[in-house]
């Protein structure tokens, strides 16, 4: 068994491994002659006060201690194994496919979008020509929404599954081992596609299959049991087990299930704006003016406040990042953020969103599972109109928004399609706008300098999570009414990011393997 030691050091001491080891051994009272190996197990920044410190957890193995190796994906030939269908090649779907191979099942993955390479052309069209391909965009395609929207790997879902195993699989497929160390691990949009491709190739080499441009258009159900599915309105396949891992933006799937009287539930979600500051401003605030320290990374922030009975909080904060157009239909606008691996862009952006429950909405009725989805769609369409019916988004300086004044001009923005001046107090619903105004004032007090005329709001930030939940049995993970249907990941309401979705994909396959006694 290893020994764990906590240390607090200055950022410039992080490269001095001799100093770190000596300090850790002294604190643990371990004789250096007895050390077999050691490593930095966890690393985080403590910027609560000046000077900024690095918090380390050091793991030390003495002679005779057993050191476990990293979990690696264990492939096997599943060419002739029992088959399962997986709908969606996002993190939930890909991890489900990999786990299926380990368990001795043959995964057949159907992805409505394109592979990562072909997908880039459609992203370029959104940014440069403002043309949205409803099947291939920032949300749909190989790797899902996370592939081209940052690759944050932090999750609070520690009780849902083996987070370390999910991270170690990423390392197995090419990620840097730093993701096992950093408190808030991040791969970067520039590096994720290569990893996703490696995962797909492993699935295919083991005898599984990944089909692109293959959209689920119907489920074949008899006696409340899955019998098969239909792809692209024409091809039918027989399957007894279907994992539905379609992500939070596959609205057609929600409508399909609703039309077939398959039980759905309205689910709380959050909606607001994506705000952009200069990164140097956030560095100055978070590092107490210590902006010239080359050992400190671009600063992040996390904010939360209760306003009139609703939570308002930062979401998907991207240091050194870019704001991206993430619509999945031509008559809507949606923003999201991402960062490259080095986080070296001059901007910092984050969603600032208001928690919304179904009961908060004026047209709420207990028997309408689509109430939050329809509210989300209405906001995105209204913002599309306010932005000029293009992929430009309505925008406003933060101080102008708080003061109710339409902005006359703007600093540069990272949002490539462009922005249009609008009073977001009039564009956004009152229950969102009024709380955002109060929240920005509160955040300005928590982070002096945050409430700034040079910070720009881009509307809307609306795809924070699924507005629909697909209920499932807590033991079998099957839908509460349909045997063989496994609602999975973020789209079904059981995940909130890459890692929690990946873990849920593993859990769904574990439930199927248990049924097959594998």
């Amino acid at each position: 068994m290893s020994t764990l030691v906590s240390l607090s050091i200055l950022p410039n001491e992080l490269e001095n491994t001799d100093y770190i080891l000596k300090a850790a051994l002294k604190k643990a009272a371990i004789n250096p002659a007895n050390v077999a190996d050691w490593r930095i197990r966890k690393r985080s920044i403590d910027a609560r006060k000046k000077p900024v410190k690095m918090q380390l957890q050091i793991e030390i193995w003495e002679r005779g201690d057993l050191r476990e190796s990293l979990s690696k994906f264990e492939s096997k030939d599943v060419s002739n194994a029992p088959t399962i269908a997986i709908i969606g090649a996002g993190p939930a779907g890909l991890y489900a496919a990999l786990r299926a191979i380990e368990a001795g099942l043959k995964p057949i993955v159907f992805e409505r979008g394109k592979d990562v390479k072909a997908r880039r052309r459609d992203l370029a069209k959104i940014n440069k020509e403002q043309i949205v391909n409803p099947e291939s965009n920032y949300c749909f395609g190989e790797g899902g929404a996370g592939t081209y929207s940052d690759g944050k790997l932090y999750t609070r879902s520690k009780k849902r599954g083996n987070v370390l195993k999910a991270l170690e699989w990423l390392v197995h497929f090419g990620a840097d081992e730093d993701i096992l160390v950093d408190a808030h691990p991040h791969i970067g949009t520039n590096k994720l596609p290569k990893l996703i491709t490696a995962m797909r190739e492993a699935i295919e080499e083991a005898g599984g299959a990944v089909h692109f441009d293959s959209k689920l258009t119907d489920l074949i159900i008899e006696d409340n049991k899955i019998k098969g599915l239909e792809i692209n309105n024409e091809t039918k396949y027989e399957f007894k087990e279907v994992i539905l891992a379609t992500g939070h933006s596959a609205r057609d799937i929600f409508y399909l299930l609703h039309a077939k009287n398959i039980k759905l539930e309205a689910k709380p979600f959050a909606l607001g704006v994506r705000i952009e500051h200069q990164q140097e401003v956030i560095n100055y605030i978070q590092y107490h003016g210590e902006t010239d320290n080359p050992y400190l990374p671009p600063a992040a922030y996390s904010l939360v406040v209760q306003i009139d009975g609703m939570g308002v909080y930062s979401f998907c904060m991207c240091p050194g990042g870019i704001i991206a157009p993430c619509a999945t239909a031509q008559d809507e606008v949606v923003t999201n953020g991402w960062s490259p691996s080095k986080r070296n862009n001059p901007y910092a952006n984050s969603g600032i969103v208001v928690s919304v429950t179904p009961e908060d909405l004026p047209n709420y009725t207990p028997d309408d599972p689509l109430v939050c989805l329809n509210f989300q769609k209405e906001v995105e369409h209204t913002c599309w109109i306010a932005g000029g019916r293009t992929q430009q988004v309505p925008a406003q300086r933060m101080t102008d928004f708080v003061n109710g004044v339409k902005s006359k001009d703007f600093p540069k923005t990272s949002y490539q399609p462009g922005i249009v001046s609008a009073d977001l107090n009039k564009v956004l619903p009152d229950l969102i706008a009024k709380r955002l105004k109060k929240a920005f004032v509160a955040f300005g007090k928590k982070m002096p300098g945050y409430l700034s005329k040079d910070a720009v709001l881009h509307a809307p930030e609306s795809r924070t999570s699924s507005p629909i939940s697909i209920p499932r049995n807590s033991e079998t993970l099957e839908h509460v009414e349909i045997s063989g249907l496994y609602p999975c990941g973020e789209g079904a309401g059981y995940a909130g990011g890459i890692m929690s979705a990946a873990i849920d994909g593993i859990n769904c396959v574990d439930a199927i393997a248990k049924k097959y006694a594998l």
Side-chain angles (χ1 to χ4, degrees):
M1 182 179 291
S2 60
T3 301
L4 298 178
V5 182
S6 296
L7 287 180
S8 180
I9 65 172
L10 294 172
N12 64 297
E13 294 171 330
L14 190 60
E15 295 181 352
N16 190 341
T17 55
D18 289 340
Y19 168 78
I20 292 171
L21 177 58
K22 288 178 182 178
L25 293 177
K26 181 178 180 181
K27 189 170 184 179
I30 293 176
N31 186 335
N34 292 333
V35 175
D37 202 358
W38 72 285
R39 66 169 177 169
I40 297 175
R41 180 171 176 173
K42 286 296 177 185
R43 176 175 58 223
S44 62
I45 298 173
D46 183 358
R48 289 173 294 179
K49 60 183 180 180
K50 195 173 182 178
V52 177
K53 294 287 190 71
M54 302 297 295
Q55 298 291 341
L56 306 180
Q57 185 183 71
I58 310 301
E59 186 168 18
I60 303 168
W61 289 269
E62 296 183 70
R63 292 177 181 176
D65 288 341
L66 176 65
R67 179 171 183 174
E68 295 182 358
S69 58
L70 296 182
S71 295
K72 293 185 178 182
F73 167 65
E74 300 293 341
S75 186
K76 60 179 68 172
D77 186 355
V78 295
S79 302
N80 299 311
T83 59
I84 63 171
I86 300 171
I87 311 301
L94 289 175
Y95 268 75
L98 293 170
R99 178 67 189 109
I101 291 167
E102 277 200 338
L105 295 165
K106 180 178 179 178
I108 309 296
V109 182
F110 297 95
E111 167 57 49
R112 68 191 299 164
K114 300 177 182 178
D115 64 77
V116 286
K117 186 176 181 180
R119 195 176 167 190
R120 287 193 181 103
R121 291 189 287 272
D122 295 311
L123 303 187
K125 285 185 178 181
I126 299 175
N127 281 298
K128 297 176 182 178
E129 302 175 40
Q130 304 191 31
I131 297 172
V132 179
N133 182 336
E135 310 302 340
S136 178
N137 44 60
Y138 275 95
C139 293
F140 300 149
E142 187 176 19
T147 303
Y148 290 106
S149 56
D150 206 55
K152 290 184 181 67
L153 304 178
Y154 178 64
T155 178
R156 294 185 177 89
S157 304
K158 307 297 184 185
K159 296 181 180 180
R160 293 186 181 180
N162 192 333
V163 178
L164 181 58
K165 177 179 179 178
L167 288 170
E168 288 175 341
W169 274 13
L170 283 173
V171 173
H172 172 82
F173 287 108
D176 194 294
E177 288 194 17
D178 278 353
I179 67 171
L180 305 176
V181 177
D182 290 329
H184 291 78
H186 166 258
I187 291 180
T189 295
N190 55 315
K191 292 187 175 182
L192 262 172
K194 185 177 180 181
L195 271 69
I196 299 300
T197 300
M199 288 181 170
R200 184 229 307 162
E201 290 172 347
I203 293 167
E204 293 172 335
E205 288 170 4
V210 181
H211 300 291
F212 297 109
D213 298 309
S214 299
K215 180 179 179 178
L216 175 69
T217 49
D218 199 8
L219 290 168
I220 302 168
I221 300 170
E222 296 178 10
D223 299 325
N224 292 327
K225 294 181 180 179
I226 284 288
K227 295 296 182 180
L229 47 84
E230 178 189 83
I231 298 296
N232 295 337
N233 291 306
E234 55 184 19
T235 307
K236 290 181 170 60
Y237 298 86
E238 291 185 6
F239 286 103
K240 294 181 180 179
E241 319 289 345
V242 175
I243 295 178
L244 196 63
T246 52
H248 59 42
S249 291
R251 291 168 172 168
D252 57 299
I253 298 300
F254 299 138
Y255 290 128
L256 169 65
L257 298 180
H258 189 54
K260 296 179 78 69
N261 294 315
I262 296 174
K263 185 176 179 61
L264 303 174
E265 296 173 350
K267 174 184 153 298
F269 75 116
L271 187 145
V273 297
R274 185 152 284 268
I275 185 166
E276 186 168 75
H277 290 80
Q278 287 290 318
Q279 181 63 54
E280 62 184 14
V281 172
I282 301 303
N283 290 349
Y284 185 87
I285 296 171
Q286 294 296 81
Y287 293 150
H288 315 286
E290 192 177 345
T291 59
D292 58 350
N293 190 330
Y295 297 97
L296 289 173
Y301 62 82
S302 178
L303 294 166
V304 61
V305 66
Q306 285 288 321
I307 302 292
D308 300 335
M310 291 184 183
V312 184
Y313 58 92
S314 56
F315 169 81
C316 184
M317 195 275 147
C318 300
I322 299 290
I323 299 180
C326 293
T328 52
Q330 194 66 53
D331 63 347
E332 65 191 23
V333 288
V334 179
T335 65
N336 198 356
W338 63 270
S339 301
S341 57
K342 293 183 179 180
R343 290 178 162 169
N344 55 355
N345 283 295
Y347 307 102
N349 70 72
S350 178
I352 302 293
V353 295
V354 180
S355 297
V356 178
T357 67
E359 294 80 6
D360 295 323
L361 302 179
N363 58 336
Y364 166 73
T365 58
D367 59 347
D368 182 9
L370 306 178
V371 63
C372 289
L373 172 60
N374 290 333
F375 176 75
Q376 182 190 58
K377 285 182 62 177
E378 182 180 353
V379 171
E380 293 172 2
H381 183 71
T382 300
C383 288
W384 175 73
I385 294 173
R389 299 174 185 265
T390 68
Q391 284 305 298
Q392 295 183 106
V393 294
Q396 195 169 14
R397 290 178 182 263
M398 185 195 281
T399 49
D400 287 344
F401 174 71
V402 170
N403 295 324
V405 178
K406 190 175 179 181
S407 300
K408 296 180 180 179
D409 56 16
F410 292 102
K412 287 184 178 182
T413 173
S414 68
Y415 185 77
Q416 195 169 345
I419 57 179
V420 174
S421 182
D423 185 355
L424 297 181
N425 293 284
K426 298 177 181 178
V427 175
L428 296 171
D430 281 350
L431 75 127
I432 302 296
K434 290 180 178 179
R435 288 171 174 83
L436 285 176
K437 287 175 71 171
K438 293 180 181 179
F440 287 138
V441 173
F443 293 159
K445 293 177 181 178
K446 288 185 177 182
M447 290 177 60
Y450 184 83
L451 178 56
S452 165
K453 69 179 181 64
D454 292 324
V456 179
L457 314 184
H458 301 61
E461 169 78 41
S462 51
R463 305 286 177 95
T464 54
S465 64
S466 175
I468 298 282
S469 174
I470 308 176
R472 69 188 187 190
N473 182 291
S474 60
E475 295 295 325
T476 67
L477 304 191
E478 294 170 290
H479 187 273
V480 292
E481 297 173 346
I482 310 298
S483 175
L485 179 63
Y486 297 81
C488 180
E490 199 163 352
Y494 299 101
I498 290 174
M499 295 314 296
S500 55
I503 291 167
D504 200 53
I506 291 173
N507 291 342
C508 285
V509 173
D510 285 346
I512 296 173
K514 186 177 180 181
K515 181 189 289 189
Y516 281 79
L518 295 173

